[in-house]
Coordinates of all heavy atoms in Angstrom, one line a residue:
M1 N 158.2 81.5 107.0 CA 157.4 82.1 106.0 C 157.7 83.6 106.0 O 157.3 84.5 106.8 CB 155.9 81.9 106.3 CG 155.2 81.2 105.3 SD 153.6 80.8 105.7 CE 152.8 81.2 104.2
G2 N 158.4 84.0 104.9 CA 158.7 85.4 104.7 C 157.6 86.2 104.0 O 156.6 85.7 103.5
I3 N 157.9 87.5 103.8 CA 157.0 88.3 103.2 C 156.8 87.9 101.7 O 155.8 88.1 101.1 CB 157.4 89.8 103.3 CG1 156.2 90.7 102.9 CG2 158.7 90.2 102.6 CD1 155.2 90.9 103.8
N4 N 157.9 87.4 101.1 CA 157.8 87.1 99.6 C 156.9 85.9 99.5 O 156.1 85.9 98.5 CB 159.2 86.6 99.2 CG 160.1 87.9 99.0 OD1 159.6 88.9 98.9 ND2 161.4 87.6 99.0
S5 N 156.8 85.0 100.4 CA 155.9 83.8 100.3 C 154.5 84.3 100.5 O 153.6 83.8 99.8 CB 156.2 82.8 101.4 OG 157.5 82.2 101.2
I6 N 154.2 85.2 101.4 CA 152.9 85.7 101.6 C 152.4 86.5 100.4 O 151.3 86.3 100.0 CB 152.8 86.5 102.9 CG1 153.1 85.7 104.1 CG2 151.5 87.3 103.0 CD1 153.3 86.5 105.4
L7 N 153.3 87.3 99.8 CA 152.9 88.0 98.6 C 152.6 87.1 97.4 O 151.7 87.4 96.6 CB 154.0 89.1 98.3 CG 154.0 90.3 99.2 CD1 155.2 91.2 98.8 CD2 152.8 91.1 99.2
A8 N 153.4 86.1 97.3 CA 153.2 85.1 96.2 C 151.9 84.4 96.4 O 151.2 84.2 95.4 CB 154.4 84.1 96.1
F9 N 151.6 84.0 97.6 CA 150.4 83.4 97.9 C 149.2 84.3 97.6 O 148.2 83.9 96.9 CB 150.3 82.9 99.4 CG 149.1 82.1 99.8 CD1 148.9 80.9 99.3 CD2 148.1 82.7 100.5 CE1 147.7 80.2 99.6 CE2 147.0 82.0 100.9 CZ 146.8 80.8 100.4
A10 N 149.2 85.5 98.0 CA 148.2 86.5 97.7 C 148.0 86.7 96.2 O 146.9 86.8 95.7 CB 148.4 87.8 98.4
F11 N 149.1 86.8 95.5 CA 149.0 87.1 94.0 C 148.5 85.9 93.4 O 147.7 86.0 92.4 CB 150.5 87.3 93.5 CG 150.6 87.7 92.0 CD1 150.0 88.9 91.6 CD2 151.1 86.8 91.2 CE1 150.1 89.1 90.2 CE2 151.1 87.1 89.8 CZ 150.6 88.3 89.3
G12 N 148.8 84.7 93.8 CA 148.3 83.5 93.3 C 146.8 83.4 93.5 O 146.0 83.0 92.6
L13 N 146.3 83.8 94.6 CA 144.8 83.9 94.9 C 144.1 84.8 94.0 O 143.1 84.6 93.5 CB 144.6 84.1 96.4 CG 144.8 83.0 97.3 CD1 144.6 83.4 98.8 CD2 143.9 81.8 97.1
F14 N 144.8 85.9 93.8 CA 144.2 87.0 93.0 C 144.1 86.5 91.5 O 143.0 86.7 90.9 CB 145.1 88.3 93.0 CG 144.6 89.4 92.1 CD1 143.5 90.0 92.4 CD2 145.3 89.6 91.0 CE1 143.0 91.0 91.5 CE2 144.9 90.6 90.1 CZ 143.8 91.4 90.4
L15 N 145.1 85.8 91.0 CA 145.1 85.3 89.7 C 144.0 84.2 89.5 O 143.3 84.1 88.5 CB 146.4 84.7 89.3 CG 147.5 85.7 88.9 CD1 148.8 85.0 88.6 CD2 147.1 86.6 87.8
L16 N 143.9 83.4 90.6 CA 142.9 82.4 90.5 C 141.4 82.9 90.5 O 140.6 82.5 89.8 CB 143.0 81.4 91.8 CG 142.1 80.2 91.9 CD1 142.4 79.3 90.7 CD2 142.3 79.5 93.2
Y17 N 141.3 84.1 91.3 CA 140.0 84.8 91.2 C 139.7 85.3 89.8 O 138.6 85.2 89.3 CB 140.0 85.9 92.3 CG 138.9 86.8 92.3 CD1 137.6 86.4 92.8 CD2 138.9 88.1 91.6 CE1 136.6 87.2 92.7 CE2 137.8 88.9 91.6 CZ 136.6 88.4 92.2 OH 135.5 89.3 92.2
I18 N 140.7 85.9 89.2 CA 140.5 86.5 87.9 C 140.1 85.4 86.8 O 139.2 85.5 86.0 CB 141.7 87.3 87.4 CG1 142.0 88.5 88.3 CG2 141.7 87.7 86.0 CD1 141.0 89.5 88.3
V19 N 140.9 84.3 86.9 CA 140.5 83.2 86.0 C 139.2 82.6 86.2 O 138.5 82.4 85.3 CB 141.7 82.1 86.1 CG1 141.2 80.9 85.4 CG2 142.9 82.6 85.6
G20 N 138.8 82.6 87.4 CA 137.4 82.1 87.8 C 136.4 83.0 87.2 O 135.3 82.5 86.6
I21 N 136.5 84.3 87.3 CA 135.6 85.3 86.8 C 135.6 85.2 85.2 O 134.5 85.1 84.6 CB 136.0 86.8 87.1 CG1 135.9 86.9 88.6 CG2 135.2 87.8 86.4 CD1 134.5 87.0 89.1
L22 N 136.7 85.0 84.6 CA 136.8 84.9 83.1 C 136.0 83.6 82.7 O 135.5 83.5 81.5 CB 138.2 84.9 82.6 CG 138.9 86.3 82.8 CD1 140.2 86.2 82.3 CD2 138.2 87.3 82.0
L23 N 136.0 82.6 83.5 CA 135.4 81.3 83.1 C 133.9 81.4 83.4 O 133.1 80.7 82.7 CB 136.0 80.2 83.8 CG 137.4 79.8 83.4 CD1 138.0 78.7 84.2 CD2 137.4 79.4 81.9
V24 N 133.4 82.1 84.4 CA 132.0 82.2 84.8 C 131.2 82.9 83.8 O 130.1 82.6 83.5 CB 131.9 82.6 86.2 CG1 130.4 83.0 86.5 CG2 132.4 81.7 87.2
I25 N 131.7 84.1 83.2 CA 131.0 84.9 82.3 C 130.4 84.2 81.1 O 129.2 84.2 80.8 CB 131.7 86.2 82.0 CG1 131.9 87.0 83.2 CG2 131.1 87.0 80.9 CD1 132.8 88.2 83.1
P26 N 131.3 83.4 80.4 CA 130.8 82.7 79.1 C 129.8 81.6 79.6 O 128.9 81.3 78.8 CB 132.0 82.0 78.6 CG 133.2 82.9 79.0 CD 132.7 83.4 80.4
I27 N 129.9 81.0 80.7 CA 128.9 80.0 81.1 C 127.6 80.6 81.4 O 126.5 80.0 81.0 CB 129.5 79.2 82.4 CG1 130.6 78.4 82.0 CG2 128.4 78.3 83.0 CD1 131.3 77.7 83.2
R28 N 127.6 81.7 82.0 CA 126.2 82.4 82.2 C 125.6 82.8 80.9 O 124.4 82.6 80.7 CB 126.5 83.8 82.9 CG 126.7 83.6 84.4 CD 126.7 85.0 85.1 NE 127.4 84.9 86.4 CZ 127.8 85.9 87.1 NH1 127.7 87.1 86.5 NH2 128.3 85.8 88.2
L29 N 126.4 83.2 79.8 CA 125.9 83.5 78.6 C 125.2 82.3 77.9 O 124.2 82.4 77.3 CB 126.9 84.1 77.7 CG 126.5 84.6 76.3 CD1 125.5 85.7 76.3 CD2 127.8 85.0 75.6
I30 N 125.9 81.2 78.0 CA 125.5 79.9 77.4 C 124.2 79.5 78.0 O 123.2 79.1 77.4 CB 126.6 78.9 77.4 CG1 127.7 79.2 76.5 CG2 126.0 77.5 77.1 CD1 128.9 78.4 76.7
V31 N 124.1 79.5 79.4 CA 123.0 79.1 80.1 C 121.7 80.0 79.8 O 120.7 79.6 79.5 CB 123.2 79.1 81.7 CG1 121.9 79.0 82.4 CG2 124.2 78.0 82.0
K32 N 122.0 81.4 79.6 CA 120.9 82.3 79.2 C 120.4 82.0 77.8 O 119.2 82.0 77.6 CB 121.5 83.7 79.4 CG 120.4 84.7 79.0 CD 120.9 86.1 79.1 CE 119.9 87.1 78.7 NZ 120.3 88.5 78.6
L33 N 121.3 81.6 76.9 CA 121.0 81.3 75.6 C 120.1 80.1 75.5 O 119.1 80.0 74.8 CB 122.2 81.2 74.7 CG 122.0 81.0 73.2 CD1 121.3 82.2 72.7 CD2 123.3 80.9 72.5
I34 N 120.5 79.0 76.3 CA 119.8 77.8 76.3 C 118.4 78.1 76.9 O 117.3 77.6 76.4 CB 120.5 76.7 77.2 CG1 121.7 76.3 76.4 CG2 119.6 75.5 77.5 CD1 122.6 75.4 77.2
I35 N 118.3 78.8 78.0 CA 116.9 79.1 78.6 C 116.1 79.8 77.6 O 114.9 79.5 77.5 CB 117.1 79.8 80.0 CG1 117.7 78.9 80.9 CG2 115.8 80.4 80.4 CD1 118.1 79.5 82.3
N36 N 116.6 80.9 77.0 CA 115.9 81.7 76.1 C 115.4 80.8 74.8 O 114.4 81.0 74.3 CB 116.7 82.9 75.6 CG 116.8 83.9 76.5 OD1 116.0 83.9 77.5 ND2 117.6 84.9 76.4
G37 N 116.3 79.9 74.4 CA 115.9 79.0 73.3 C 114.7 78.1 73.7 O 113.8 77.8 72.9
V38 N 114.7 77.6 74.9 CA 113.6 76.7 75.3 C 112.3 77.6 75.5 O 111.3 77.1 75.0 CB 114.0 76.0 76.7 CG1 112.7 75.4 77.3 CG2 115.2 75.0 76.5
L39 N 112.4 78.7 76.0 CA 111.3 79.6 76.1 C 110.7 80.0 74.7 O 109.6 80.1 74.5 CB 111.6 80.8 76.9 CG 111.8 80.5 78.4 CD1 112.1 81.8 79.1 CD2 110.6 79.9 79.0
G40 N 111.7 80.2 73.8 CA 111.4 80.5 72.4 C 110.6 79.3 71.7 O 109.7 79.5 71.0
G41 N 111.1 78.1 72.0 CA 110.4 77.0 71.5 C 109.0 76.8 72.0 O 108.0 76.5 71.3
I42 N 108.8 77.1 73.3 CA 107.5 77.1 73.9 C 106.6 78.1 73.3 O 105.4 77.8 72.9 CB 107.5 77.2 75.4 CG1 108.3 75.9 76.0 CG2 106.2 77.4 76.0 CD1 108.6 76.1 77.5
L43 N 107.2 79.3 73.1 CA 106.3 80.4 72.4 C 106.0 80.0 71.0 O 104.9 80.3 70.6 CB 107.2 81.7 72.5 CG 106.4 82.9 72.1 CD1 105.3 83.2 73.0 CD2 107.4 84.1 72.3
L44 N 106.9 79.4 70.3 CA 106.6 78.9 69.0 C 105.5 77.9 69.0 O 104.6 77.9 68.0 CB 107.8 78.4 68.3 CG 108.9 79.4 67.7 CD1 110.1 78.7 67.3 CD2 108.3 80.2 66.6
L45 N 105.5 77.0 69.9 CA 104.5 76.0 70.0 C 103.1 76.6 70.2 O 102.1 76.3 69.6 CB 104.9 75.0 71.1 CG 103.9 73.9 71.3 CD1 103.9 73.0 70.2 CD2 104.3 73.1 72.6
I46 N 103.1 77.6 71.1 CA 101.8 78.3 71.4 C 101.4 79.0 70.1 O 100.2 79.0 69.8 CB 102.0 79.3 72.6 CG1 102.2 78.5 73.9 CG2 100.8 80.2 72.7 CD1 102.6 79.4 75.0
V47 N 102.3 79.7 69.4 CA 101.9 80.4 68.1 C 101.3 79.4 67.2 O 100.4 79.7 66.5 CB 103.1 81.2 67.6 CG1 102.8 81.6 66.2 CG2 103.3 82.5 68.4
N48 N 102.0 78.2 67.0 CA 101.5 77.2 66.1 C 100.1 76.7 66.5 O 99.3 76.4 65.6 CB 102.5 76.1 66.0 CG 103.7 76.5 65.1 OD1 103.6 77.4 64.3 ND2 104.8 75.8 65.3
L49 N 99.9 76.5 67.8 CA 98.6 76.0 68.3 C 97.5 77.0 67.9 O 96.4 76.7 67.5 CB 98.6 75.6 69.7 CG 99.4 74.4 70.1 CD1 99.5 74.3 71.6 CD2 98.8 73.2 69.5
I50 N 97.8 78.3 68.3 CA 96.8 79.3 68.0 C 96.6 79.7 66.5 O 95.6 79.8 66.0 CB 97.1 80.6 68.8 CG1 97.0 80.3 70.3 CG2 96.2 81.7 68.4 CD1 97.4 81.4 71.3
G51 N 97.8 79.6 65.8 CA 97.8 80.0 64.4 C 97.3 78.9 63.5 O 97.0 79.2 62.4
S52 N 97.1 77.7 64.0 CA 96.5 76.6 63.2 C 95.1 77.0 62.8 O 94.7 76.5 61.7 CB 96.6 75.3 63.9 OG 95.8 75.3 65.0
F53 N 94.4 77.7 63.5 CA 93.1 78.1 63.2 C 92.9 79.1 62.1 O 92.0 79.1 61.4 CB 92.3 78.7 64.5 CG 92.2 77.8 65.6 CD1 92.8 78.1 66.8 CD2 91.4 76.7 65.5 CE1 92.8 77.2 67.8 CE2 91.3 75.8 66.6 CZ 92.0 76.1 67.8
I54 N 94.0 79.8 61.8 CA 93.9 80.9 60.7 C 95.1 80.5 59.7 O 95.3 81.3 58.8 CB 94.2 82.3 61.2 CG1 95.5 82.4 62.0 CG2 93.0 82.7 62.1 CD1 95.8 83.8 62.5
G55 N 95.7 79.4 59.8 CA 96.6 78.9 58.8 C 98.1 79.5 58.9 O 98.8 79.5 57.9
I56 N 98.5 79.8 60.1 CA 99.8 80.4 60.3 C 100.6 79.3 61.1 O 100.1 78.8 62.1 CB 99.9 81.7 61.2 CG1 99.2 82.8 60.3 CG2 101.2 82.1 61.5 CD1 99.1 84.1 61.1
S57 N 101.8 78.9 60.6 CA 102.6 78.0 61.3 C 104.1 78.4 61.1 O 104.5 78.9 60.0 CB 102.4 76.6 60.9 OG 102.8 76.4 59.5
I58 N 104.9 78.1 62.0 CA 106.4 78.4 62.0 C 107.0 77.1 62.4 O 106.7 76.6 63.4 CB 106.9 79.5 62.9 CG1 106.1 80.8 62.5 CG2 108.3 79.7 62.8 CD1 106.4 82.0 63.5
A59 N 108.0 76.6 61.6 CA 108.7 75.4 61.9 C 109.5 75.6 63.2 O 110.1 76.7 63.4 CB 109.6 75.0 60.8
I60 N 109.4 74.6 64.0 CA 110.2 74.6 65.4 C 111.5 73.9 65.1 O 111.4 72.6 64.9 CB 109.4 74.1 66.5 CG1 108.0 74.8 66.6 CG2 110.1 74.0 67.8 CD1 107.2 74.3 67.8
N61 N 112.5 74.6 65.1 CA 113.9 74.0 65.0 C 114.8 74.9 66.0 O 114.3 75.9 66.4 CB 114.4 73.8 63.6 CG 114.4 75.2 62.9 OD1 114.8 76.2 63.4 ND2 114.0 75.2 61.6
P62 N 116.0 74.4 66.2 CA 116.9 75.2 67.1 C 117.1 76.6 66.6 O 117.1 77.5 67.5 CB 118.2 74.4 67.1 CG 117.8 73.0 66.8 CD 116.7 73.1 65.8
L63 N 117.2 76.9 65.4 CA 117.5 78.2 64.9 C 116.3 79.1 65.2 O 116.5 80.2 65.7 CB 117.8 78.2 63.4 CG 118.1 79.6 62.8 CD1 119.3 80.2 63.4 CD2 118.3 79.5 61.3
T64 N 115.1 78.7 64.9 CA 113.9 79.5 65.1 C 113.7 79.7 66.6 O 113.3 80.8 67.0 CB 112.6 79.0 64.4 OG1 112.5 77.6 64.9 CG2 112.7 79.0 63.0
A65 N 114.0 78.7 67.4 CA 113.8 78.8 68.9 C 114.8 79.8 69.4 O 114.4 80.6 70.3 CB 114.0 77.4 69.5
I66 N 116.0 79.8 69.0 CA 116.9 80.8 69.5 C 116.6 82.2 69.0 O 116.7 83.1 69.8 CB 118.4 80.4 69.0 CG1 118.8 79.1 69.7 CG2 119.4 81.5 69.2 CD1 120.1 78.5 69.3
I67 N 116.1 82.3 67.7 CA 115.8 83.7 67.2 C 114.6 84.2 68.1 O 114.7 85.4 68.5 CB 115.4 83.6 65.8 CG1 116.6 83.4 64.9 CG2 114.6 84.9 65.3 CD1 116.2 83.2 63.5
V68 N 113.6 83.4 68.4 CA 112.5 83.8 69.2 C 112.9 84.1 70.7 O 112.5 84.9 71.3 CB 111.3 82.9 69.1 CG1 110.2 83.3 70.1 CG2 110.8 82.8 67.7
G69 N 113.8 83.2 71.1 CA 114.3 83.4 72.5 C 115.1 84.6 72.7 O 115.0 85.3 73.8
I70 N 115.8 85.0 71.7 CA 116.6 86.3 71.8 C 115.8 87.5 71.6 O 115.8 88.5 72.4 CB 117.8 86.3 70.8 CG1 118.8 85.2 71.2 CG2 118.5 87.6 70.7 CD1 119.9 85.0 70.2
F71 N 114.9 87.5 70.6 CA 114.1 88.7 70.3 C 112.7 88.7 70.8 O 112.0 89.7 70.8 CB 114.1 88.8 68.7 CG 115.4 89.1 68.1 CD1 116.0 88.1 67.2 CD2 116.1 90.3 68.4 CE1 117.2 88.4 66.7 CE2 117.4 90.5 67.8 CZ 117.9 89.6 66.9
G72 N 112.2 87.5 71.3 CA 110.8 87.5 71.8 C 109.8 87.6 70.8 O 109.9 87.1 69.7
I73 N 108.8 88.5 71.0 CA 107.6 88.6 70.1 C 108.1 89.2 68.7 O 107.7 88.8 67.7 CB 106.5 89.4 70.7 CG1 106.1 88.7 71.9 CG2 105.4 89.7 69.7 CD1 104.7 88.5 72.3
P74 N 109.0 90.3 68.7 CA 109.5 90.7 67.4 C 110.2 89.6 66.6 O 110.2 89.6 65.4 CB 110.5 91.8 67.8 CG 110.0 92.3 69.1 CD 109.4 91.1 69.9
G75 N 110.8 88.6 67.3 CA 111.4 87.5 66.6 C 110.3 86.7 65.9 O 110.6 86.2 64.8
I76 N 109.2 86.5 66.5 CA 108.1 85.7 65.9 C 107.6 86.6 64.7 O 107.4 86.0 63.6 CB 106.9 85.5 66.8 CG1 107.4 84.4 67.8 CG2 105.8 85.0 66.1 CD1 106.3 84.1 68.9
L77 N 107.5 87.9 64.8 CA 107.1 88.7 63.7 C 108.1 88.6 62.6 O 107.8 88.5 61.4 CB 106.8 90.1 64.1 CG 105.7 90.3 65.1 CD1 105.6 91.7 65.6 CD2 104.3 89.8 64.5
L78 N 109.3 88.6 62.9 CA 110.4 88.5 61.9 C 110.4 87.2 61.2 O 110.5 87.2 60.0 CB 111.8 88.6 62.6 CG 113.0 88.4 61.8 CD1 113.2 89.6 60.8 CD2 114.2 88.3 62.6
L79 N 110.1 86.1 61.9 CA 110.1 84.8 61.3 C 108.9 84.7 60.3 O 108.9 84.1 59.2 CB 110.0 83.7 62.3 CG 111.3 83.4 63.0 CD1 111.1 82.4 64.2 CD2 112.4 82.9 62.1
L80 N 107.7 85.3 60.8 CA 106.5 85.3 59.9 C 106.8 86.1 58.6 O 106.4 85.7 57.6 CB 105.3 85.9 60.7 CG 104.7 84.9 61.7 CD1 103.7 85.6 62.6 CD2 104.1 83.7 61.1
I81 N 107.4 87.3 58.8 CA 107.7 88.1 57.6 C 108.6 87.3 56.7 O 108.4 87.3 55.5 CB 108.3 89.5 58.0 CG1 107.3 90.3 58.7 CG2 108.9 90.2 56.8 CD1 107.8 91.5 59.4
I82 N 109.7 86.8 57.2 CA 110.6 86.0 56.4 C 109.9 84.8 55.7 O 110.1 84.6 54.5 CB 111.8 85.4 57.2 CG1 112.7 86.7 57.6 CG2 112.6 84.4 56.5 CD1 113.8 86.3 58.6
Q83 N 109.0 84.1 56.4 CA 108.4 82.9 55.8 C 107.3 83.3 54.8 O 107.2 82.7 53.8 CB 107.8 82.1 56.9 CG 107.1 80.9 56.5 CD 106.6 80.0 57.6 OE1 106.8 80.4 58.7 NE2 106.0 78.9 57.3
Y84 N 106.5 84.3 55.0 CA 105.4 84.6 54.1 C 105.6 85.7 53.1 O 104.9 85.8 52.1 CB 104.1 85.0 55.0 CG 103.6 83.7 55.7 CD1 103.8 83.5 57.0 CD2 103.0 82.7 55.0 CE1 103.3 82.4 57.7 CE2 102.5 81.5 55.6 CZ 102.7 81.5 57.0 OH 102.2 80.3 57.6
I85 N 106.6 86.5 53.3 CA 106.9 87.6 52.3 C 108.0 87.2 51.4 O 107.9 87.5 50.2 CB 107.0 88.9 53.0 CG1 105.8 89.4 53.7 CG2 107.6 90.0 52.1 CD1 105.8 90.7 54.4
L86 N 109.0 86.6 52.0 CA 110.2 86.4 51.1 C 110.1 85.0 50.5 O 109.7 84.1 50.8 CB 111.5 86.4 52.0 CG 111.8 87.8 52.5 CD1 113.0 87.8 53.4 CD2 111.9 88.8 51.5

């Protein structure tokens, strides 16, 4: 085993590490988006339950859940403005 073999092995491990990092980052983003979408759907459900007393409702679908999941309470306000004003 010469120095060339050792350097090639080290370089291969380094490339494997870089590829692993590049694959993990998008997976984290997708998982975060899914979790935020589920939490957004739950928040929409709560708003619909409470809003049913005063006549406010927002349709629960993947798009509205993701909007609320990303923006939170301002997302709900945005959906209400879009629904009732536009």
Side-chain angles (χ1 to χ4, degrees):
M1 239 175 138
I3 190 78
N4 289 338
S5 298
I6 294 172
L7 287 175
F9 183 72
F11 184 70
L13 284 177
F14 177 72
L15 284 178
L16 186 62
Y17 174 76
I18 295 296
V19 169
I21 292 291
L22 291 175
L23 291 175
V24 167
I25 291 172
I27 292 172
R28 283 187 199 163
L29 182 65
I30 291 170
V31 168
K32 182 179 178 187
L33 188 61
I34 289 171
I35 290 172
N36 285 345
V38 169
L39 292 176
I42 292 170
L43 191 56
L44 282 172
L45 182 65
I46 292 170
V47 166
N48 283 338
L49 288 175
I50 294 172
S52 66
F53 296 115
I54 58 175
I56 294 176
S57 68
I58 301 172
I60 299 176
N61 57 41
L63 181 63
T64 57
I66 290 174
I67 289 173
V68 174
I70 291 173
F71 296 115
I73 302 224
I76 289 179
L77 296 176
L78 174 72
L79 289 173
L80 287 172
I81 289 171
I82 289 172
Q83 183 174 359
Y84 289 106
I85 292 181
L86 297 179

